[in-house]
Amino acid sequence: MIGSNVIITNFVTMYGSQNIPQQRLPLSRKSKKWREQCVESFIGISRFGLSERKSFLKSLYDYYNGVIDETDYKHVLKPYGKRRENFPSKLKNYPIIKPIIDLLLGEKSKRPLNFTVTVKNGDAISKKEEEKKKKIMSAMVQVFAEELEGSDKTDTGLPEKVAEQFEMSYVDRRAIQGQNALNYIVQSEELTDKFQKAFFHYLVAGETYSHKGVRRNEPFYDIINPLDVDYDKDPDLEFVEDGDWSMVRRFAHASTIIDHYGEYLTDEQVLELENPRHSSVDTYLLYRSEASGGDANVSRNRTIEVITVYWKSRKRIGFLTYTDPTTGMQEEMEVIDGFRMPAELKAAGAKVRYEWVNEVWEGTRIDGRFYVNINPIPNQRSSLDNPSLCKLPINGRRYSDINSENISLVSLGIPFQLNYNIFKYRMELALARSKDIIAQFDINMIPKKWDLDKFMYYVEGTGIAWVDYNKEGIQLSPQHQSVLDMSIKTVGQYIQLLESIFSEWERISGVNRQRQGMVGPYEGKASSQQAIMQSSHITEDLFRKFNRFEQREMQGLLDYSKEAWVSGKKAMYVMPDNQIDMFDLEAEDHMESEYGIFVSDAGRDLEKLDQAKQLSQAMIQNGMKTSDVLNLFDTENFTGIKAKIKAAEKSREQLEQQQQQAQQQQQQQELQLKQQALQQDQLEKDKDRQVQIETALIQAEAQDTTGKLNLDLEKMLKQHEVKQRELSIKEKELDRKNESQ
């Protein structure tokens, strides 16, 4: 082991801090020595040895928490190189940074995490067009069948209507599956809380980092302390996962390390870790000790340095091109480096072409001397179309480091916090020196058996100076007493300075008083809202950049889920509206899907959401059910609001159509009943007339009054014809009314 350390040391010495071993090598040439050299060289070019960076990052968190470093105030506390003790005032922190950070954190917690999963596969459009054609053909076949049955309800505009409805409702089945998978990951990995933690680091340190991958066949996601991360500082690099290398530095006890890396360690190495000797990390332990307030137990309770390096190496892969004997089509498949082509394929004209592509490796150094698990990572994130576009498992971004050092909101506020504390300190000193207007007395006027403290007690407590006139030598005269003005005149100036510092800090941070809820007594509602809007415009870039980070993180987790769920996945999860949902993931579709994630503007969504909820009263007045309106308040994004309103409107339209159809049916039934009543009435009348005619004939025969009877009979027949014509007219009118309705 000692020899190996010497080799590595010589390597670093010889090649310096900027040379990395050659990466374009076949796997057979990537020896143990090569692997250890890679880990050591990347650690050598890192900034972990620069305590200034660590100290600066830690100071940012101290400023947020209100921890004072007196070295920042030495020009105030030690103006002449010597600290003055027993001053009437003590330097304290008066936080003006923390409230701004906490407000932005609170606003972030209220912003919904809105995302939509899409499918970017090349066949996505063709599948959609196929589904549309199937829907149109199915509808046309149904219409044709109805026409054969004698239906006259032919809809000439049916294809356009079906296509329109399809465009409104179509979602790729694979996209639905990806959406359900990501919904589950968001809940199982508690992404909302972890993103909140990441945003805290983003505000305080101006940088935030994460680690994601596959653990025990499940995607995992962790937020990493910015103090423990280093990576490739390419000036054009926006996200760490797109860089060439990154690493994480942690400290753990021997038992934890052995539990985690025991399978890679020899018995001798385990024994050395359990019984440590001199360590190469004393400097960092000293830093940790200082960071913990100088607790000496930190170094005694020894923790061991563990650095894990991730970098992009190169590997050679082959693409076998052959003709499928069953289909006659030319196919292509990926093969490993060194693939030996079977004789039958070679005879059939198959060929292999090789390419060099990127491959992510990992390696860990323990205690500065033990190298373990230096291999390609088991779960590679790469594109289906371009396998060389792989991603590092460590991701992160900085707020603003373009052509300059990175800044954070806290770092911008440090000068204002320092000056604010200094002027507060000086104002307290001035107030302590202030004695108002006091009277001066000759010391000989102090009564007998009184000391000076007792005399001053009564002067300050009661405003009365007790004098012993019987004391020998006391002769009152104007010279014995005078007035001394020791009141402070600069307090008002200090208050103005403090107000100026606070206002300037508000301007720089973009968070004004109106946004903090501090509205002046004479400030109108319109001006306050305008001030809040202007403030949000300044800080919106913070949220926008972090939204892009969240998008990258969810994309990575969804990609890793393909590796984790190679055998499929069945799970239940709770939706934001507390509804339990279940998804059954098809492994093959999931593996072959190229997902894309769209994250909406949470600020605009929140504004639209509030506006939509404010319209709830108008919605109820316009006929929307109260239950549907209340359902809107469980929705966390504007897209969901629109979907629920659309569903409620569709339900209302269907209800109105049903009510209209029921009314029409009722009217038709009433018309039919009226027709039946008229027909029955006419039938009864016809029967009566027939009886009358028959009776009259009988009477005519009996009375032998044939002439008169004929006249009566003719008259009755004419009346009957008139009634028949009236009845026919009424029936036609009823039919026309029925058809019009």
Side-chain angles (χ1 to χ4, degrees):
M1 199 68 203
I2 296 176
S4 177
N5 285 335
V6 171
I7 292 174
I8 294 171
T9 303
N10 292 336
F11 172 86
V12 176
T13 303
M14 181 173 59
Y15 289 94
S17 61
Q18 297 181 353
N19 289 277
I20 308 297
Q22 183 181 351
Q23 299 299 310
R24 189 168 173 169
L25 296 174
L27 185 61
S28 59
R29 293 180 57 189
K30 293 180 178 180
S31 62
K32 180 176 180 294
K33 176 183 175 182
W34 177 90
R35 301 179 187 210
E36 294 179 356
Q37 287 176 346
C38 286
V39 173
E40 191 67 31
S41 58
F42 281 113
I43 294 176
I45 64 175
S46 72
R47 297 186 299 170
F48 284 143
L50 302 177
S51 59
E52 294 82 5
R53 176 179 178 269
K54 295 287 185 180
S55 298
F56 174 71
L57 286 177
K58 182 185 174 299
S59 69
L60 297 177
Y61 293 91
D62 286 341
Y63 274 104
Y64 168 77
N65 290 312
V67 178
I68 287 183
D69 184 359
E70 292 193 354
T71 57
D72 296 332
Y73 302 91
K74 61 183 180 180
H75 62 291
V76 177
L77 300 176
K78 299 179 181 180
Y80 305 106
K82 184 178 180 180
R83 184 183 180 93
R84 297 186 179 182
E85 305 293 339
N86 301 321
F87 264 37
S89 179
K90 186 178 180 180
L91 184 69
K92 296 183 289 290
N93 184 71
Y94 297 89
I96 62 173
I97 294 178
K98 189 176 186 300
I100 302 297
I101 302 298
D102 290 346
L103 183 139
L104 295 174
L105 286 171
E107 291 184 355
K108 173 65 175 67
S109 67
K110 293 182 178 180
R111 291 181 170 228
L113 185 62
N114 300 330
F115 55 89
T116 303
V117 179
T118 60
V119 175
K120 300 189 296 182
N121 294 62
D123 64 344
I125 296 176
S126 60
K127 281 184 176 291
K128 179 181 177 181
E129 293 299 322
E130 250 179 67
E131 289 291 328
K132 185 193 292 186
K133 289 178 182 178
K134 287 181 181 178
K135 290 286 185 182
I136 295 174
M137 289 299 298
S138 177
M140 296 299 293
V141 168
Q142 186 177 356
V143 171
F144 182 70
E146 292 176 354
E147 289 179 352
L148 291 177
E149 293 176 359
S151 176
D152 57 351
K153 297 180 180 179
T154 304
D155 191 351
T156 57
L158 183 64
E160 290 78 9
K161 290 181 180 179
V162 173
E164 183 180 356
Q165 292 175 356
F166 178 84
E167 290 291 341
M168 293 175 61
S169 61
Y170 175 78
V171 181
D172 195 308
R173 179 176 56 85
R174 295 169 296 182
I176 297 174
Q177 183 171 254
Q179 185 78 37
N180 292 335
L182 189 53
N183 287 340
Y184 170 77
I185 293 172
V186 168
Q187 185 180 96
S188 63
E189 285 300 306
E190 301 177 340
L191 288 194
T192 302
D193 292 338
K194 290 180 180 180
F195 284 162
Q196 188 75 5
K197 182 179 179 181
F199 190 64
F200 168 74
H201 290 305
Y202 192 60
L203 294 176
V204 176
E207 50 193 271
T208 189
Y209 304 98
S210 68
H211 181 207
K212 52 185 173 291
V214 178
R215 184 185 295 147
R216 292 185 289 274
N217 297 325
E218 287 290 332
F220 75 87
Y221 185 75
D222 296 324
I223 301 299
I224 309 174
N225 193 321
L227 277 73
D228 298 326
V229 179
D230 201 6
Y231 65 97
D232 175 23
K233 299 302 186 301
D234 189 321
D236 297 325
L237 185 66
E238 187 174 3
F239 295 96
V240 175
E241 65 180 9
D242 296 326
D244 288 334
W245 62 270
S246 62
M247 64 184 71
V248 180
R249 184 183 195 183
R250 296 186 176 93
F251 281 77
H253 295 286
S255 58
T256 303
I257 295 174
I258 293 170
D259 287 342
H260 193 77
Y261 297 101
E263 61 179 305
Y264 308 110
L265 296 169
T266 65
D267 293 340
E268 295 179 357
Q269 292 171 341
V270 170
L271 186 63
E272 288 191 41
L273 291 175
E274 290 178 336
N275 300 279
R277 296 173 295 178
H278 175 72
S279 174
S280 61
V281 298
D282 290 342
T283 303
Y284 192 83
L285 287 175
L286 179 61
Y287 165 75
R288 285 290 193 181
S289 178
E290 293 173 351
S292 63
D295 188 1
N297 291 326
V298 174
S299 59
R300 289 197 212 100
N301 191 13
R302 183 179 180 271
T303 55
I304 300 171
E305 179 195 56
V306 179
I307 299 179
T308 300
V309 182
Y310 303 92
W311 76 95
K312 291 180 181 178
S313 186
R314 304 283 284 173
K315 73 171 181 177
R316 190 167 177 255
I317 61 173
F319 295 93
L320 174 66
T321 305
Y322 65 98
T323 302
D324 192 333
T326 58
T327 63
M329 301 292 292
Q330 193 174 57
E331 302 287 345
E332 186 178 82
M333 64 178 295
E334 184 178 326
V335 295
I336 63 173
D337 187 16
F339 170 75
R340 294 185 178 181
M341 187 183 301
E344 56 271 19
L345 285 178
K346 191 174 183 180
K351 296 181 180 179
V352 178
R353 61 179 177 86
Y354 289 95
E355 291 183 5
W356 287 93
V357 298
N358 288 326
E359 181 184 41
V360 179
W361 278 60
E362 67 176 331
T364 300
R365 190 186 75 177
I366 301 174
D367 202 23
R369 48 185 174 152
F370 303 138
Y371 301 86
V372 299
N373 192 30
I374 310 176
N375 294 295
I377 62 174
N379 308 112
Q380 299 281 334
R381 272 186 67 203
S382 58
S383 172
L384 294 176
D385 298 328
N386 187 355
S388 193
L389 292 177
C390 57
K391 305 286 186 181
L392 299 173
I394 304 298
N395 192 29
R397 76 173 307 177
R398 293 185 167 191
Y399 173 60
S400 179
D401 60 352
I402 300 176
N403 299 327
S404 181
E405 288 294 325
N406 186 44
I407 63 171
S408 71
L409 196 58
V410 171
S411 67
L412 291 175
I414 289 177
F416 302 98
Q417 185 66 74
L418 289 172
N419 286 328
Y420 198 86
N421 289 343
I422 289 171
F423 283 114
K424 271 283 193 178
Y425 170 70
R426 293 193 181 280
M427 188 175 73
E428 289 186 6
L429 283 176
L431 289 172
R433 291 195 301 268
S434 176
K435 301 297 182 182
D436 208 350
I437 300 175
I438 62 176
Q440 297 184 87
F441 297 92
D442 192 320
I443 196 169
N444 292 319
M445 297 176 64
I446 298 176
K448 293 180 179 179
K449 299 182 180 180
W450 281 31
D451 55 20
L452 182 60
D453 291 340
K454 186 175 181 179
F455 180 79
M456 293 304 301
Y457 171 80
Y458 281 101
V459 170
E460 293 188 8
T462 66
I464 301 173
W466 301 97
V467 181
D468 186 1
Y469 294 105
N470 296 321
K471 188 175 181 180
E472 185 176 353
I474 295 297
Q475 297 181 357
L476 293 178
S477 67
Q479 288 78 22
H480 288 90
Q481 53 189 343
S482 61
V483 176
L484 180 64
D485 188 356
M486 295 187 66
S487 59
I488 193 72
K489 301 294 190 298
T490 59
V491 173
Q493 297 175 356
Y494 280 123
I495 293 174
Q496 291 180 357
L497 284 171
L498 292 170
E499 180 67 22
S500 175
I501 293 171
F502 196 78
S503 299
E504 187 68 11
W505 165 230
E506 288 180 335
R507 186 185 68 81
I508 296 297
S509 67
V511 182
N512 53 31
R513 303 188 183 193
Q514 291 85 354
R515 191 171 175 180
Q516 299 176 62
M518 296 183 289
V519 181
Y522 305 105
E523 192 170 1
K525 182 179 180 181
S527 60
S528 297
Q529 290 178 343
Q530 182 66 25
I532 293 173
M533 185 178 297
Q534 291 175 350
S535 173
S536 64
H537 290 166
I538 298 173
T539 59
E540 189 60 30
D541 192 54
L542 274 169
F543 294 103
R544 182 190 63 81
K545 288 182 177 180
F546 192 78
N547 277 353
R548 289 200 60 205
F549 172 76
E550 291 176 324
Q551 179 181 356
R552 285 291 190 110
E553 299 302 87
M554 290 187 289
Q555 180 72 64
L557 286 168
L558 196 56
D559 291 343
Y560 277 123
S561 70
K562 299 177 186 178
E563 303 291 332
W565 301 331
V566 291
S567 302
K569 180 69 176 180
K570 292 182 180 180
M572 290 191 303
Y573 60 94
V574 181
M575 298 290 290
D577 57 357
N578 294 327
Q579 296 295 318
I580 297 177
D581 203 356
M582 178 177 179
F583 78 99
D584 188 356
L585 185 139
E586 297 181 7
E588 186 176 354
D589 282 350
H590 191 54
M591 289 286 293
E592 295 177 355
S593 296
E594 192 81 16
Y595 296 114
I597 298 177
F598 170 75
V599 178
S600 63
D601 189 334
R604 288 185 182 179
D605 278 359
L606 194 61
E607 183 179 344
K608 293 177 181 177
L609 183 64
D610 292 337
Q611 292 175 355
K613 290 179 178 180
Q614 290 172 8
L615 296 173
S616 58
Q617 186 65 34
M619 294 177 185
I620 295 175
Q621 293 176 354
N622 288 330
M624 185 177 286
K625 293 190 296 183
T626 306
S627 59
D628 291 334
V629 174
L630 292 175
N631 195 27
L632 299 179
F633 291 90
D634 291 330
T635 308
E636 295 185 353
N637 60 78
F638 188 68
T639 304
I641 284 276
K642 288 197 302 183
K644 289 185 177 182
I645 291 177
K646 195 172 182 178
E649 289 177 346
K650 187 176 181 180
S651 177
R652 187 182 65 184
E653 290 175 359
Q654 291 176 348
L655 181 61
E656 290 176 352
Q657 290 176 359
Q658 292 173 358
Q659 291 175 347
Q660 188 176 3
Q661 291 175 359
Q663 188 177 2
Q664 290 176 354
Q665 291 175 359
Q666 185 178 359
Q667 291 175 351
Q668 290 176 357
Q669 290 175 358
E670 290 176 355
L671 288 172
Q672 291 175 358
L673 291 173
K674 287 181 180 180
Q675 289 178 348
Q676 291 175 1
L678 288 172
Q679 291 174 357
Q680 185 68 26
D681 183 60
Q682 187 62 40
L683 183 61
E684 295 295 330
K685 289 180 179 179
D686 291 344
K687 289 181 179 180
D688 291 341
R689 289 190 182 95
Q690 187 67 30
V691 171
Q692 291 176 3
I693 293 171
E694 292 175 355
T695 303
L697 288 172
I698 294 171
Q699 291 177 352
E701 292 177 356
Q703 298 175 3
D704 197 21
T705 55
T706 305
K708 185 179 178 181
L709 181 61
N710 288 335
L711 290 173
D712 292 338
L713 181 61
E714 184 178 355
K715 184 178 179 181
M716 292 176 65
L717 289 171
K718 287 182 178 179
Q719 290 176 351
H720 178 67
E721 289 177 359
V722 171
K723 294 293 185 180
Q724 286 287 347
R725 285 196 296 270
E726 291 177 353
L727 180 61
S728 178
I729 292 170
K730 289 182 179 180
E731 287 180 349
K732 289 180 180 180
E733 289 179 353
L734 288 172
D735 289 338
R736 284 196 298 272
K737 289 181 179 180
N738 191 17
E739 290 176 358
S740 64
Q741 292 179 353

